[in-house]
Amino acid sequence: MRRAVVLAVLLVLALSGVAQARPPVSVLTGDYAYLNSFGALREVTVHARATDPAVGSWTWTMGATTYTGTVTCLRVVGDDAWLAGPATSWPQGDGAVFMWVHDGGNPGTAGDTAFTWGSDADETLADMEALCESQETSPYGYDRQPVISGNVNIQPAR
């Protein structure tokens, strides 16, 4: 009996050590709005984790149309994050998004910037994922715009 208890304790200790050994994971969360380069309001909600593979969800509202989807790529470097994923609702058929955001490090909008691109008819999820993987900093000639409400929150793996 004593041997069984000792083995059980050792097994618990070993398994708890394995659970604690998991590497930290970068996280991107936010519920924010910004005006795109043309002054049109864009609203985004995102919850993503940079696991392998990346997981999470996003919602992107443009005017009266809301798109939703999952996350297949998330790269975080410091206060910047790049995200891509397929749409689960896209009026034109298959669609995907690419997001590039910056966390200003303050509560609320101070210093936060955002850019979201929805795939055109000739673009694929692979195209959006390539932008994410390469950490593109000015896709299609557009830059991030200041967040006007809400908050971008990036937590790099530590």
Side-chain angles (χ1 to χ4, degrees):
M1 178 70 173
R2 178 181 270 174
R3 192 178 305 172
V5 170
V6 169
L7 286 175
V9 169
L10 289 175
L11 182 60
V12 168
L13 290 173
L15 290 177
S16 66
V18 170
Q20 293 173 1
R22 280 190 246 164
V25 174
S26 297
V27 176
L28 166 63
T29 59
D31 190 358
Y32 57 90
Y34 67 97
L35 300 176
N36 72 4
S37 298
F38 305 104
L41 182 66
R42 302 296 186 242
E43 297 172 283
V44 176
T45 299
V46 62
H47 300 279
R49 296 175 54 81
T51 54
D52 187 18
V55 295
S57 63
W58 55 266
T59 301
W60 179 34
T61 301
M62 300 186 306
T65 306
T66 298
Y67 305 94
T68 60
T70 59
V71 177
T72 55
C73 176
L74 177 62
R75 297 289 178 260
V76 173
V77 177
D79 297 330
D80 293 305
W82 296 262
L83 177 144
T88 53
S89 67
W90 199 263
Q92 303 88 347
D94 291 339
V97 298
F98 165 76
M99 296 180 189
W100 171 39
V101 296
H102 175 79
D103 182 352
N106 300 304
T109 62
D112 292 351
T113 57
F115 172 80
T116 304
W117 182 267
S119 60
D120 289 330
D122 62 338
E123 295 171 319
T124 66
L125 171 59
D127 295 326
M128 301 300 104
E129 289 176 332
L131 292 170
C132 175
E133 294 285 346
S134 68
Q135 299 166 3
E136 179 65 46
T137 57
S138 189
Y140 310 105
Y142 298 109
D143 205 348
R144 297 175 304 208
Q145 299 298 312
V147 169
I148 61 172
S149 68
N151 189 29
V152 172
N153 188 349
I154 297 172
Q155 298 170 350
R158 296 182 198 253

